Amino acid sequence: MGLNPAPVPHQMITRAKDDIIKPITRLNLSVVCSAASPVPRTHKADLADPQWARAMREEYDALVQNKTWALVPRPPGANIVTGKWIFKHKFHADGTLARHKARWVVRGYSQQAGVDYDETFSPVVKPATIRVVLSIAASKSWPIHQLDVKNAFLHGTLDETVYCQQPPGFVDSNHPDHVCLLQRSLYGLKQAPRAWYQRFATHARHLGFTSTASDTSLFVYRQGDDLAYLLLYVDDIILTASSTRLLQHLSARLHDEFAMTDLGSLHYFLDISVRRTTAGLHLSQKKYAVDLLQRAGMAECHPTATPIDTKAKLSSSAGEFLQDATMYRSLAGALQYLTLTRPDIQYAVQQACLHMHAPCDAHLALIKRILRYIKGTLDQGLFL
């Protein structure tokens, strides 16, 4: 930020007491900031942008260092999985730009069942489990840290033989017709989440954790008076322990096995803002709710006092059926996730979800009413 004097046409003239006429110098305030590069549509377009080119190079180097594949001649008759570059802006909790992220993702739909994949599974912790663990940690004043695993799916090992194309923009000039024989899993592979979970769960058990029967993504560590809980949501981890010493010890052991970043005290997780107060923890999804209103085209709608009309009863044939129910189902699903910190809309959302198979215009009116209620209660959240 700087103050730069600039001439202004038709400057105002003022007369001082000594009758000396002086022009008024105006100061123009200019702010210099780094803008985010627009998301490119093709890898060629982003190679021309230094920020996206740097992000692609970092992703490719990580794949090579991890020994994700070996270049081999293309086997005759083999199924070659295609892929593409995915570009995304990563933001801080306050909405400011954190970094440009490029990721090489294979197209899982081009895989063949029984040929290059078998069983699938995704490590997603249940919302109820998140609330319970955070409630325990808050009631006991335990430290809570958030860990982010770098390129989590690349840590999984494959049992199947999978071939994929070389990443565009980084094709080996000496072997342009070779293909990649995958030795590690990649984002987009149907078995990638399962391979990552198996690798992580094996190491967690080696550290002394045990997975629970109620939620396979909840791991419990118990050694004497030491107690810790670990929540796994794909590549995001919440770790809380009965002491700071134990938390640091377990975190260091995880760092020894996986490349990860300790993001410090939990403050933003899965679009959930976490704020510790003297009374406990306050969970809020305000940013998620604002984005949802914008997606629905209701960012400027008038709020309402209640999420549902208590007098009217919805039926399965309340009005005319919607010609395209895609948006209805998308909004209903998004509202389901919002109930994690908004129990006040659970009943209304449950009523809307009952008609996702064949929604009518009256059901859509209910969705809009819920969104209008959210508009007026954006700051509400859940205290633990």
Side-chain angles (χ1 to χ4, degrees), residues 10 18 35 67 96 102 121 143 171 183 203 212 219 237 259 275 296 310 362 383:
H10 308 291
D18 54 359
K67 299 180 180 179
T96 59
F121 170 75
V171 176
Q183 299 170 336
H203 183 66
T212 60
F219 297 85
I237 296 175
R275 181 169 54 90
T310 57
F383 282 94

mmCIF file of all heavy atoms in Angstrom, residues 10 18 35 67 96 102 121 143 171 183 203 212 219 237 259 275 296 310 362 383:
data_model
loop_
_atom_site.group_PDB
_atom_site.id
_atom_site.type_symbol
_atom_site.label_atom_id
_atom_site.label_comp_id
_atom_site.label_asym_id
_atom_site.label_seq_id
_atom_site.Cartn_x
_atom_site.Cartn_y
_atom_site.Cartn_z
ATOM 1 N N HIS A 10 -8.127 19.977 -13.721
ATOM 2 C CA HIS A 10 -8.972 21.032 -13.180
ATOM 3 C C HIS A 10 -8.840 21.112 -11.663
ATOM 4 O O HIS A 10 -9.818 21.005 -10.923
ATOM 5 C CB HIS A 10 -10.440 20.819 -13.564
ATOM 6 C CG HIS A 10 -10.642 20.619 -15.022
ATOM 7 N ND1 HIS A 10 -10.456 21.614 -15.951
ATOM 8 C CD2 HIS A 10 -10.988 19.500 -15.722
ATOM 9 C CE1 HIS A 10 -10.715 21.142 -17.176
ATOM 10 N NE2 HIS A 10 -11.026 19.849 -17.054
ATOM 11 N N ASP A 18 -1.802 35.105 2.780
ATOM 12 C CA ASP A 18 -0.825 36.042 2.214
ATOM 13 C C ASP A 18 -1.069 36.281 0.733
ATOM 14 O O ASP A 18 -0.191 36.725 0.018
ATOM 15 C CB ASP A 18 0.600 35.537 2.437
ATOM 16 C CG ASP A 18 0.775 34.126 1.898
ATOM 17 O OD1 ASP A 18 -0.217 33.561 1.384
ATOM 18 O OD2 ASP A 18 1.908 33.591 1.999
ATOM 19 N N ALA A 35 -3.419 -11.064 -7.138
ATOM 20 C CA ALA A 35 -4.719 -11.641 -7.452
ATOM 21 C C ALA A 35 -4.563 -13.105 -7.803
ATOM 22 O O ALA A 35 -3.519 -13.546 -8.270
ATOM 23 C CB ALA A 35 -5.363 -10.874 -8.608
ATOM 24 N N LYS A 67 7.449 -42.398 -6.012
ATOM 25 C CA LYS A 67 7.543 -43.606 -6.858
ATOM 26 C C LYS A 67 6.156 -44.165 -7.142
ATOM 27 O O LYS A 67 5.884 -45.349 -6.971
ATOM 28 C CB LYS A 67 8.424 -44.656 -6.183
ATOM 29 C CG LYS A 67 9.858 -44.189 -5.948
ATOM 30 C CD LYS A 67 10.703 -45.261 -5.285
ATOM 31 C CE LYS A 67 12.134 -44.767 -5.060
ATOM 32 N NZ LYS A 67 12.983 -45.782 -4.389
ATOM 33 N N THR A 96 -9.422 -15.650 2.427
ATOM 34 C CA THR A 96 -8.268 -15.183 1.657
ATOM 35 C C THR A 96 -7.590 -16.355 0.949
ATOM 36 O O THR A 96 -7.661 -17.501 1.397
ATOM 37 C CB THR A 96 -7.256 -14.481 2.572
ATOM 38 O OG1 THR A 96 -6.830 -15.398 3.601
ATOM 39 C CG2 THR A 96 -7.878 -13.252 3.206
ATOM 40 N N ALA A 102 -2.845 -27.790 -7.970
ATOM 41 C CA ALA A 102 -3.057 -28.612 -9.169
ATOM 42 C C ALA A 102 -2.917 -30.069 -8.766
ATOM 43 O O ALA A 102 -2.044 -30.419 -7.968
ATOM 44 C CB ALA A 102 -2.030 -28.256 -10.252
ATOM 45 N N PHE A 121 -14.006 -48.600 -1.040
ATOM 46 C CA PHE A 121 -14.369 -48.139 0.303
ATOM 47 C C PHE A 121 -13.849 -46.727 0.471
ATOM 48 O O PHE A 121 -12.790 -46.378 -0.066
ATOM 49 C CB PHE A 121 -13.767 -49.048 1.383
ATOM 50 C CG PHE A 121 -13.895 -48.506 2.781
ATOM 51 C CD1 PHE A 121 -15.101 -48.532 3.439
ATOM 52 C CD2 PHE A 121 -12.801 -47.963 3.436
ATOM 53 C CE1 PHE A 121 -15.229 -48.032 4.724
ATOM 54 C CE2 PHE A 121 -12.903 -47.457 4.716
ATOM 55 C CZ PHE A 121 -14.131 -47.504 5.362
ATOM 56 N N PRO A 143 -6.483 -30.720 24.478
ATOM 57 C CA PRO A 143 -6.032 -30.046 23.246
ATOM 58 C C PRO A 143 -6.536 -30.802 22.022
ATOM 59 O O PRO A 143 -6.610 -32.034 22.024
ATOM 60 C CB PRO A 143 -4.509 -30.110 23.349
ATOM 61 C CG PRO A 143 -4.232 -31.307 24.207
ATOM 62 C CD PRO A 143 -5.371 -31.362 25.207
ATOM 63 N N VAL A 171 5.134 -35.488 -20.354
ATOM 64 C CA VAL A 171 5.378 -36.740 -21.056
ATOM 65 C C VAL A 171 6.880 -36.899 -21.285
ATOM 66 O O VAL A 171 7.558 -35.955 -21.717
ATOM 67 C CB VAL A 171 4.617 -36.773 -22.397
ATOM 68 C CG1 VAL A 171 4.950 -38.041 -23.176
ATOM 69 C CG2 VAL A 171 3.117 -36.683 -22.144
ATOM 70 N N GLN A 183 2.317 -48.103 -9.113
ATOM 71 C CA GLN A 183 2.791 -48.821 -7.941
ATOM 72 C C GLN A 183 2.157 -48.282 -6.667
ATOM 73 O O GLN A 183 2.179 -48.936 -5.639
ATOM 74 C CB GLN A 183 4.323 -48.702 -7.855
ATOM 75 C CG GLN A 183 5.025 -49.310 -9.064
ATOM 76 C CD GLN A 183 6.508 -48.988 -9.104
ATOM 77 O OE1 GLN A 183 6.952 -47.998 -8.520
ATOM 78 N NE2 GLN A 183 7.288 -49.816 -9.785
ATOM 79 N N HIS A 203 -0.905 -48.737 10.112
ATOM 80 C CA HIS A 203 0.071 -47.972 10.899
ATOM 81 C C HIS A 203 -0.542 -47.508 12.215
ATOM 82 O O HIS A 203 0.151 -47.491 13.249
ATOM 83 C CB HIS A 203 0.566 -46.776 10.099
ATOM 84 C CG HIS A 203 1.623 -45.983 10.803
ATOM 85 N ND1 HIS A 203 2.875 -46.490 11.078
ATOM 86 C CD2 HIS A 203 1.608 -44.722 11.318
ATOM 87 C CE1 HIS A 203 3.600 -45.583 11.714
ATOM 88 N NE2 HIS A 203 2.852 -44.503 11.870
ATOM 89 N N THR A 212 -12.964 -48.512 15.972
ATOM 90 C CA THR A 212 -14.189 -48.845 16.687
ATOM 91 C C THR A 212 -15.174 -49.552 15.771
ATOM 92 O O THR A 212 -15.145 -49.376 14.552
ATOM 93 C CB THR A 212 -14.840 -47.575 17.255
ATOM 94 O OG1 THR A 212 -15.143 -46.689 16.169
ATOM 95 C CG2 THR A 212 -13.896 -46.876 18.218
ATOM 96 N N PHE A 219 -10.496 -43.896 15.631
ATOM 97 C CA PHE A 219 -9.450 -44.713 16.228
ATOM 98 C C PHE A 219 -9.226 -44.247 17.668
ATOM 99 O O PHE A 219 -9.148 -43.045 17.933
ATOM 100 C CB PHE A 219 -8.148 -44.607 15.437
ATOM 101 C CG PHE A 219 -8.255 -45.119 14.022
ATOM 102 C CD1 PHE A 219 -8.711 -44.291 13.007
ATOM 103 C CD2 PHE A 219 -7.906 -46.422 13.708
ATOM 104 C CE1 PHE A 219 -8.810 -44.755 11.696
ATOM 105 C CE2 PHE A 219 -8.004 -46.901 12.416
ATOM 106 C CZ PHE A 219 -8.461 -46.066 11.410
ATOM 107 N N ILE A 237 -7.406 -35.107 9.392
ATOM 108 C CA ILE A 237 -7.345 -35.823 10.659
ATOM 109 C C ILE A 237 -7.582 -34.854 11.808
ATOM 110 O O ILE A 237 -7.010 -33.759 11.840
ATOM 111 C CB ILE A 237 -5.982 -36.519 10.845
ATOM 112 C CG1 ILE A 237 -5.774 -37.607 9.782
ATOM 113 C CG2 ILE A 237 -5.849 -37.116 12.236
ATOM 114 C CD1 ILE A 237 -4.402 -38.244 9.836
ATOM 115 N N ALA A 259 3.779 -38.009 5.102
ATOM 116 C CA ALA A 259 4.051 -36.590 4.902
ATOM 117 C C ALA A 259 2.786 -35.814 5.233
ATOM 118 O O ALA A 259 1.777 -35.941 4.536
ATOM 119 C CB ALA A 259 4.479 -36.330 3.457
ATOM 120 N N ARG A 275 -14.493 -22.725 17.234
ATOM 121 C CA ARG A 275 -13.964 -21.660 18.099
ATOM 122 C C ARG A 275 -14.088 -22.095 19.550
ATOM 123 O O ARG A 275 -15.170 -22.466 20.006
ATOM 124 C CB ARG A 275 -14.728 -20.353 17.863
ATOM 125 C CG ARG A 275 -14.236 -19.181 18.681
ATOM 126 C CD ARG A 275 -14.867 -17.882 18.196
ATOM 127 N NE ARG A 275 -16.326 -17.968 18.181
ATOM 128 C CZ ARG A 275 -17.100 -17.638 19.219
ATOM 129 N NH1 ARG A 275 -16.549 -17.195 20.331
ATOM 130 N NH2 ARG A 275 -18.413 -17.741 19.117
ATOM 131 N N ALA A 296 -27.949 -21.390 -4.603
ATOM 132 C CA ALA A 296 -29.391 -21.473 -4.844
ATOM 133 C C ALA A 296 -29.944 -20.197 -5.458
ATOM 134 O O ALA A 296 -31.136 -20.143 -5.795
ATOM 135 C CB ALA A 296 -30.127 -21.787 -3.539
ATOM 136 N N THR A 310 -45.850 -24.831 10.327
ATOM 137 C CA THR A 310 -46.321 -25.891 11.225
ATOM 138 C C THR A 310 -47.760 -26.316 10.938
ATOM 139 O O THR A 310 -48.193 -27.381 11.374
ATOM 140 C CB THR A 310 -46.232 -25.428 12.691
ATOM 141 O OG1 THR A 310 -46.988 -24.216 12.852
ATOM 142 C CG2 THR A 310 -44.784 -25.176 13.075
ATOM 143 N N ALA A 362 -44.375 -27.780 -4.372
ATOM 144 C CA ALA A 362 -44.566 -27.467 -2.957
ATOM 145 C C ALA A 362 -43.355 -27.886 -2.132
ATOM 146 O O ALA A 362 -43.002 -27.230 -1.151
ATOM 147 C CB ALA A 362 -45.817 -28.148 -2.432
ATOM 148 N N PHE A 383 -23.125 -25.315 20.256
ATOM 149 C CA PHE A 383 -22.205 -25.227 21.389
ATOM 150 C C PHE A 383 -22.011 -26.613 21.980
ATOM 151 O O PHE A 383 -22.967 -27.337 22.218
ATOM 152 C CB PHE A 383 -22.752 -24.274 22.458
ATOM 153 C CG PHE A 383 -22.571 -22.811 22.130
ATOM 154 C CD1 PHE A 383 -23.588 -22.100 21.505
ATOM 155 C CD2 PHE A 383 -21.389 -22.162 22.419
ATOM 156 C CE1 PHE A 383 -23.425 -20.760 21.196
ATOM 157 C CE2 PHE A 383 -21.218 -20.820 22.119
ATOM 158 C CZ PHE A 383 -22.235 -20.122 21.497
#
